[in-house]
Amino acid sequence: MTGSPARRHELRGQVAVVTGAAQGLGYAVSKAYAAEGMRVAMMDIRGDLLQRVASECRSIGGDALPLSVDLSDAAASQAAIDSVLEQYGTPRVLIHNAALLITRSMLQITLAQWRHEINIILQAAFILSKAVWKPMIDAGGGSIVYLSSGSGYRGFIEEVAYNPGKHGVEGLMKCLALEGKAFNIAVNAATPGAPINTPMSDSNYTEEQKKTWVDPALLAPAFVMLARQDASGLTGHRVAARADGSWDAVDLL
Ligand SMILES: NC(=O)c1ccc[n+]([C@@H]2O[C@H](COP(=O)([O-])OP(=O)(O)OC[C@H]3O[C@@H](n4cnc5c(N)ncnc54)[C@H](O)[C@@H]3O)[C@@H](O)[C@H]2O)c1
């Protein structure tokens, strides 16, 4: 399926949760939601940077709730999403975008390092989704999106934690998309459909790849489209956000 952003739910005044919002793609998506007039709860371990993002979001018509949290920590993740539910209420959309990619071989990586990356990517996806699941059911629906990657469906050397973490969120997405159909909850995975200029890319792209990278803000329209979805629309798909504001979606169910 290919398309341009389609309208469904009105976003003004609605709640968005965006993880990894301090920089990179999460920052761009947070600003796009603020521009739609959403109340954006932003989670990141870089609490120092989140205050500036929150001010920018307020200056363009949104409201912002910056939450400094280490999403590798289960109790801290739970406390952060509880705080969102208490202060903002039920999200229309949850974007789990925070991730960490440190390339290490099987000989190098320790169990603690493996768990750290897996917890940010997969454990936090579970904790945040579980926390919003019943509230979304009670609200009549919602939209959940996990950031995937080529690493969500292909193998890459020395991604001993990131690779299975991204496969894991695609698996969780497929399972919850099926369960969410009865409750009008859309669950999808999203990938950057273009090379993006972010701190993660800066650490991992080759100089050749950096020649064509684009501002992640160009990919934001697909995330606005995803925020408007429920289970009668796009669900169970991997959506590639393109730099021209369009998107491609593959049905994974
Ligand atoms: N950059 C790419 O080319 C690319 C390609 C495919 C998929 N992705 C995915 O897109 C998403 C965004 O990527 P990006 O390039 O903007 O990454 P990034 O590293 O630039 O930003 C990720 C954000 O997550 C935050 N974060 C990291 N660890 C955290 C923790 N323990 N707790 C809370 N927050 C934490 C970081 O502080 C940062 O603000 C990621 O899920 C990534 O895997 C990126």
Side-chain angles (χ1 to χ4, degrees):
M1 188 188 296
T2 303
S4 302
R7 296 200 72 83
R8 191 169 290 266
H9 288 274
E10 173 58 44
L11 299 182
R12 185 157 300 278
Q14 297 290 305
V15 176
V17 180
V18 183
T19 71
Q23 316 169 77
L25 183 60
Y27 165 79
V29 172
S30 296
K31 287 193 67 174
Y33 287 164
E36 293 288 327
M38 296 190 85
R39 296 185 289 156
V40 190
M42 303 176 299
M43 298 184 190
D44 206 290
I45 198 165
R46 294 293 308 273
D48 54 324
L49 300 178
L50 272 187
Q51 296 301 333
R52 176 182 54 85
V53 184
S55 305
E56 288 180 25
C57 285
R58 291 184 194 113
S59 74
I60 56 174
D63 191 23
L65 179 61
L67 295 162
S68 179
V69 54
D70 179 354
L71 291 167
S72 72
D73 179 323
S77 304
Q78 185 67 53
I81 193 66
D82 287 348
S83 174
V84 173
L85 292 168
E86 200 178 296
Q87 296 187 58
Y88 264 2
T90 305
R92 153 113 289 279
V93 62
L94 162 66
I95 305 284
H96 181 43
N97 161 83
L100 184 65
L101 168 56
I102 301 176
T103 49
R104 297 184 185 98
S105 71
M106 193 60 169
L107 283 174
Q108 292 170 323
I109 196 165
T110 66
L111 176 59
Q113 290 166 337
W114 186 83
R115 277 202 180 123
H116 184 64
E117 280 184 55
I118 289 281
N119 287 351
I120 297 166
I121 296 169
L122 185 54
Q123 175 181 273
F126 169 77
I127 291 171
L128 302 180
S129 302
K130 174 132 180 94
V132 303
W133 195 252
K134 181 69 166 58
M136 281 185 174
I137 291 173
D138 293 343
S143 173
I144 295 175
V145 180
Y146 306 133
L147 262 294
S148 184
S149 163
S151 303
Y153 52 94
R154 292 175 55 205
F156 287 90
I157 195 163
E158 297 195 337
E159 291 188 5
V160 180
Y162 184 86
N163 218 154
K166 290 297 182 184
H167 275 67
V169 290
E170 289 220 348
L172 183 62
M173 180 280 285
K174 291 175 213 169
C175 173
L176 294 184
L178 291 169
E179 188 171 332
K181 281 187 176 176
F183 306 115
N184 208 23
I185 302 173
V187 191
N188 291 287
T191 64
I196 45 174
N197 179 352
T198 69
M200 181 184 282
S201 309
D202 197 37
S203 311
N204 292 291
Y205 280 12
T206 61
E207 288 311 311
E208 199 56 32
Q209 285 173 306
K210 288 180 185 176
K211 285 182 185 161
T212 57
W213 66 9
V214 300
D215 183 340
L218 296 175
L219 276 53
F223 291 87
V224 173
M225 175 279 291
L226 283 164
R228 293 196 165 110
Q229 298 306 308
D230 57 34
S232 66
L234 197 69
T235 192
H237 284 66
R238 184 192 303 121
V239 175
R242 303 286 178 208
D244 64 0
S246 69
W247 45 272
D248 299 318
V250 183
D251 190 348
L252 299 183
L253 297 183

